[in-house]
């Protein structure tokens, strides 16, 4: 089970980094989403993976799950949703302002010098 979770974290991180390094806006947004998913799975896995155990400790329970990573993942999901919405709006504004979705746009003066 741990090998599967570690492999999933590695694949999500590698895919996220690859997409973040692209020069278009949409792959960068997808890469950031993949990286947030990788962090969420990492945080969830940090609470020791136990199946079928309750997250709340009562008197008769001897095996329980740590609820702190679950709370951290829930908070991280909300933060990543807000961050994704902001990045999408910034990317959309940049695209509508310049009719181009490249991340490393050059100023107009530099473009005019290159064309000559």
């Amino acid at each position: 089970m741990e090998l599967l979770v570690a492999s999933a974290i590695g694949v999500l991180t590698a895919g996220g980094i690859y997409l973040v390094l692209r020069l278009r806006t949409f792959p960068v947004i997808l890469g950031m989403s993949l990286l947030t998913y990788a962090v969420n799975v990492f945080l969830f896995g940090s609470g020791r993976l136990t199946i079928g155990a309750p997250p709340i400790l009562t008197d008769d329970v001897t095996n329980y799950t740590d609820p702190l990573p679950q709370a951290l993942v829930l908070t991280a999901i909300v933060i990543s949703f807000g961050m994704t919405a902001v990045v999408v709006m910034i990317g959309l504004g940049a695209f509508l302002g310049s009719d181009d979705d490249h991340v490393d746009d050059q100023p107009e003066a530099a473009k005019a010098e290159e064309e000559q």
Side-chain angles (χ1 to χ4, degrees):
M1 182 72 165
E2 287 85 8
L3 180 64
L4 180 66
V5 172
S7 299
I9 293 170
V11 168
L12 286 171
T13 303
I17 289 174
Y18 174 75
L19 288 173
V20 165
L21 295 176
R22 306 293 295 175
L23 295 177
R24 309 290 267 193
T25 306
F26 187 67
V28 171
I29 294 170
L30 288 178
M32 290 298 292
S33 295
L34 283 179
L35 285 174
T36 58
Y37 294 148
V39 170
N40 289 343
V41 173
F42 176 74
L43 286 173
F44 194 68
S46 70
R48 281 180 270 151
L49 300 172
T50 56
I51 298 172
I56 298 173
L57 186 60
T58 59
D59 293 334
D60 58 341
V61 174
T62 58
N63 188 16
Y64 66 96
T65 303
D66 187 13
L68 181 63
Q70 295 175 14
L72 289 174
V73 168
L74 186 61
T75 305
I77 289 170
V78 172
I79 291 171
S80 67
F81 177 73
M83 181 194 67
T84 303
V86 168
V87 170
V88 165
M89 292 309 295
I90 290 172
L92 184 61
F95 174 72
L96 293 175
S98 66
D99 292 330
D100 190 14
D101 68 338
H102 278 77
V103 174
D104 61 345
D105 275 341
Q106 299 174 352
E108 295 297 325
K111 286 182 182 179
E113 289 176 8
E114 286 182 3
E115 290 175 1
Q116 292 178 355

